[in-house]
Amino acid sequence: MAFTVYLGIGLVAAFLLQGVLGFIQIKNFSKNYREMRQQGRVLIGKNPKRLQSGSLMLLSIDIEGNIHEARIMKGVTIFAHFKPLPLLQHQNIVEVAADSTKMHQVDKLTRGCILNAYRNFVNFKTNQLAYDDLNTSVNIFSMPLFEKIKQLSTQVIQLVNRQLNKTRRNEL
Protein backbone atom coordinates (compact mmCIF):
# COMPACT_ATOMS: atom_id res chain seq x y z
CA MET A 1 0.00 0.00 0.00
CA ALA A 2 2.89 2.36 0.79
CA PHE A 3 4.23 1.77 -2.73
CA THR A 4 1.05 3.18 -4.29
CA VAL A 5 1.21 6.23 -2.02
CA TYR A 6 4.81 6.88 -3.05
CA LEU A 7 3.87 6.28 -6.66
CA GLY A 8 1.01 8.79 -6.36
CA ILE A 9 3.26 11.38 -4.74
CA GLY A 10 5.87 10.78 -7.44
CA LEU A 11 3.30 11.24 -10.22
CA VAL A 12 1.98 14.45 -8.65
CA ALA A 13 5.54 15.76 -8.29
CA ALA A 14 6.29 14.88 -11.93
CA PHE A 15 3.04 16.60 -12.98
CA LEU A 16 3.96 19.79 -11.08
CA LEU A 17 7.52 19.75 -12.40
CA GLN A 18 6.23 19.26 -15.96
CA GLY A 19 3.88 22.21 -15.52
CA VAL A 20 6.61 24.52 -14.21
CA LEU A 21 9.11 23.50 -16.87
CA GLY A 22 6.42 23.68 -19.57
CA PHE A 23 5.70 27.24 -18.46
CA ILE A 24 9.41 28.05 -18.85
CA GLN A 25 9.33 26.60 -22.38
CA ILE A 26 6.28 28.69 -23.27
CA LYS A 27 8.12 31.78 -22.00
CA ASN A 28 11.05 30.82 -24.25
CA PHE A 29 8.67 30.62 -27.23
CA SER A 30 7.14 34.00 -26.37
CA LYS A 31 10.57 35.65 -26.01
CA ASN A 32 11.79 34.31 -29.37
CA TYR A 33 8.52 35.17 -31.10
CA ARG A 34 8.60 38.72 -29.71
CA GLU A 35 12.23 39.22 -30.81
CA MET A 36 11.47 38.04 -34.33
CA ARG A 37 8.19 39.97 -34.49
CA GLN A 38 10.17 43.20 -34.09
CA GLN A 39 11.76 42.43 -37.46
CA GLY A 40 8.39 42.05 -39.21
CA ARG A 41 6.13 39.12 -40.01
CA VAL A 42 6.75 35.78 -38.36
CA LEU A 43 5.81 32.57 -40.10
CA ILE A 44 5.33 29.53 -37.88
CA GLY A 45 5.92 25.95 -38.95
CA LYS A 46 4.83 23.12 -36.68
CA ASN A 47 5.61 19.43 -36.69
CA PRO A 48 4.08 18.19 -33.44
CA LYS A 49 4.51 14.59 -32.36
CA ARG A 50 2.89 12.82 -29.43
CA LEU A 51 5.42 10.22 -28.34
CA GLN A 52 8.54 11.27 -30.17
CA SER A 53 10.52 14.39 -30.83
CA GLY A 54 8.49 17.27 -32.25
CA SER A 55 9.58 20.61 -33.66
CA LEU A 56 8.49 24.23 -33.97
CA MET A 57 10.00 26.76 -36.37
CA LEU A 58 9.85 30.55 -36.43
CA LEU A 59 10.69 32.34 -39.67
CA SER A 60 11.04 36.11 -39.92
CA ILE A 61 9.85 36.89 -43.47
CA ASP A 62 8.89 39.79 -45.68
CA ILE A 63 5.70 39.96 -47.78
CA GLU A 64 7.39 38.04 -50.62
CA GLY A 65 8.41 35.13 -48.39
CA ASN A 66 12.10 35.98 -48.13
CA ILE A 67 13.48 34.60 -44.88
CA HIS A 68 15.49 37.06 -42.81
CA GLU A 69 15.98 34.81 -39.79
CA ALA A 70 15.06 31.23 -38.91
CA ARG A 71 14.93 29.53 -35.52
CA ILE A 72 13.88 26.01 -34.65
CA MET A 73 13.06 24.16 -31.46
CA LYS A 74 13.28 20.35 -31.56
CA GLY A 75 13.01 17.79 -28.83
CA VAL A 76 10.93 15.54 -26.65
CA THR A 77 11.42 17.26 -23.34
CA ILE A 78 10.68 20.70 -22.03
CA PHE A 79 14.42 21.40 -22.06
CA ALA A 80 14.32 22.06 -25.83
CA HIS A 81 15.02 25.68 -26.78
CA PHE A 82 15.10 27.65 -30.02
CA LYS A 83 18.31 27.54 -32.00
CA PRO A 84 19.26 29.54 -35.10
CA LEU A 85 18.89 27.81 -38.45
CA PRO A 86 21.27 29.76 -40.72
CA LEU A 87 20.72 27.41 -43.68
CA LEU A 88 17.37 29.12 -44.38
CA GLN A 89 18.52 32.72 -44.00
CA HIS A 90 18.35 34.83 -47.17
CA GLN A 91 16.28 32.11 -48.88
CA ASN A 92 12.68 32.25 -50.08
CA ILE A 93 10.20 29.92 -48.35
CA VAL A 94 8.61 28.96 -51.69
CA GLU A 95 11.95 28.10 -53.27
CA VAL A 96 13.15 26.16 -50.22
CA ALA A 97 9.95 24.09 -50.05
CA ALA A 98 10.20 23.29 -53.78
CA ASP A 99 13.94 22.47 -53.78
CA SER A 100 14.41 18.78 -52.93
CA THR A 101 18.19 19.25 -52.64
CA LYS A 102 17.72 21.95 -50.02
CA MET A 103 15.05 19.93 -48.21
CA HIS A 104 17.34 16.90 -47.95
CA GLN A 105 20.03 19.03 -46.27
CA VAL A 106 17.84 19.11 -43.15
CA ASP A 107 16.39 16.33 -41.00
CA LYS A 108 12.85 14.98 -41.26
CA LEU A 109 11.49 17.09 -38.38
CA THR A 110 12.83 20.29 -39.92
CA ARG A 111 11.41 19.32 -43.34
CA GLY A 112 7.98 18.90 -41.72
CA CYS A 113 8.24 22.37 -40.19
CA ILE A 114 9.32 23.94 -43.48
CA LEU A 115 6.43 22.34 -45.35
CA ASN A 116 3.95 23.42 -42.67
CA ALA A 117 5.35 26.97 -42.77
CA TYR A 118 5.09 26.95 -46.58
CA ARG A 119 1.43 25.85 -46.36
CA ASN A 120 0.76 28.65 -43.87
CA PHE A 121 2.48 31.14 -46.19
CA VAL A 122 0.38 30.03 -49.16
CA ASN A 123 -2.78 30.24 -47.05
CA PHE A 124 -1.76 33.75 -45.94
CA LYS A 125 -1.10 34.88 -49.53
CA THR A 126 -4.45 33.48 -50.73
CA ASN A 127 -6.37 34.86 -47.71
CA GLN A 128 -7.34 31.33 -46.67
CA LEU A 129 -5.76 31.15 -43.25
CA ALA A 130 -7.57 28.73 -40.99
CA TYR A 131 -7.69 28.97 -37.20
CA ASP A 132 -5.20 26.08 -36.94
CA ASP A 133 -2.71 28.05 -39.06
CA LEU A 134 -2.72 30.84 -36.47
CA ASN A 135 -3.21 28.77 -33.34
CA THR A 136 0.09 28.72 -31.46
CA SER A 137 -1.38 27.70 -28.14
CA VAL A 138 0.29 24.83 -26.37
CA ASN A 139 -1.70 22.21 -24.52
CA ILE A 140 0.67 21.25 -21.73
CA PHE A 141 -1.08 17.89 -21.32
CA SER A 142 -0.27 16.88 -24.91
CA MET A 143 3.47 17.49 -24.56
CA PRO A 144 5.57 14.38 -25.23
CA LEU A 145 6.89 14.08 -21.68
CA PHE A 146 3.34 14.13 -20.32
CA GLU A 147 2.33 11.43 -22.78
CA LYS A 148 5.24 9.29 -21.59
CA ILE A 149 4.30 9.89 -17.95
CA LYS A 150 0.71 8.83 -18.71
CA GLN A 151 1.94 5.75 -20.53
CA LEU A 152 4.31 4.79 -17.70
CA SER A 153 1.69 5.41 -15.02
CA THR A 154 -0.76 3.16 -16.89
CA GLN A 155 1.88 0.43 -17.08
CA VAL A 156 2.70 0.80 -13.36
CA ILE A 157 -0.99 0.67 -12.42
CA GLN A 158 -1.45 -2.47 -14.52
CA LEU A 159 1.60 -4.05 -12.87
CA VAL A 160 0.33 -3.18 -9.39
CA ASN A 161 -3.11 -4.59 -10.22
CA ARG A 162 -1.55 -7.84 -11.46
CA GLN A 163 0.52 -8.13 -8.27
CA LEU A 164 -2.57 -7.47 -6.14
CA ASN A 165 -4.56 -10.09 -8.05
CA LYS A 166 -1.75 -12.65 -7.60
CA THR A 167 -1.62 -11.89 -3.87
CA ARG A 168 -5.40 -12.26 -3.56
CA ARG A 169 -5.35 -15.59 -5.42
CA ASN A 170 -2.56 -16.89 -3.19
CA GLU A 171 -4.54 -15.91 -0.07
CA LEU A 172 -7.57 -17.90 -1.24
Side-chain angles (χ1 to χ4, degrees):
M1 200 48 116
F3 174 73
T4 56
V5 171
Y6 289 128
L7 178 64
I9 291 171
L11 288 175
V12 168
F15 175 77
L16 292 174
L17 182 64
Q18 171 72 20
V20 169
L21 295 174
F23 179 74
I24 292 169
Q25 190 177 40
I26 291 168
K27 282 184 69 171
N28 178 266
F29 168 81
S30 298
K31 175 185 163 269
N32 280 277
Y33 181 81
R34 227 181 356 263
E35 287 173 2
M36 292 183 74
R37 186 69 179 109
Q38 291 174 350
Q39 300 173 28
R41 289 180 169 82
V42 177
L43 187 60
I44 298 174
K46 303 182 270 186
N47 191 5
K49 302 288 183 186
R50 282 225 178 250
L51 296 174
Q52 58 187 16
S53 183
S55 55
L56 184 65
M57 178 181 287
L58 300 175
L59 300 172
S60 173
I61 62 167
D62 60 22
I63 193 71
E64 300 302 320
N66 298 313
I67 302 168
H68 301 291
E69 186 178 358
R71 297 180 190 177
I72 189 161
M73 177 174 59
K74 293 189 281 189
V76 176
T77 69
I78 38 69
F79 297 112
H81 291 296
F82 281 96
K83 295 179 179 134
L85 191 61
L87 177 73
L88 298 180
Q89 285 180 299
H90 310 297
Q91 304 287 322
N92 185 286
I93 186 65
V94 176
E95 293 171 7
V96 170
D99 185 353
S100 64
T101 306
K102 182 77 71 183
M103 291 293 279
H104 281 89
Q105 290 177 354
V106 295
D107 60 86
K108 188 176 179 181
L109 289 173
T110 304
R111 279 195 297 269
C113 280
I114 292 170
L115 293 174
N116 181 259
Y118 169 70
R119 182 184 63 96
N120 293 340
F121 179 73
V122 169
N123 289 345
F124 164 72
K125 292 295 274 185
T126 59
N127 291 321
Q128 294 180 1
L129 278 176
Y131 175 75
D132 288 340
D133 297 336
L134 297 172
N135 183 11
T136 60
S137 64
V138 177
N139 179 358
I140 290 177
F141 298 108
S142 68
M143 290 182 168
L145 187 59
F146 249 141
E147 293 295 325
K148 286 187 181 195
I149 289 172
K150 283 191 255 183
Q151 184 182 21
L152 285 173
S153 63
T154 302
Q155 290 173 352
V156 168
I157 289 169
Q158 289 172 349
L159 179 66
V160 168
N161 283 336
R162 274 185 261 158
Q163 290 297 327
L164 286 173
N165 288 335
K166 279 183 185 178
T167 305
R168 286 181 189 149
R169 277 187 246 136
N170 289 338
E171 289 175 358
L172 295 176

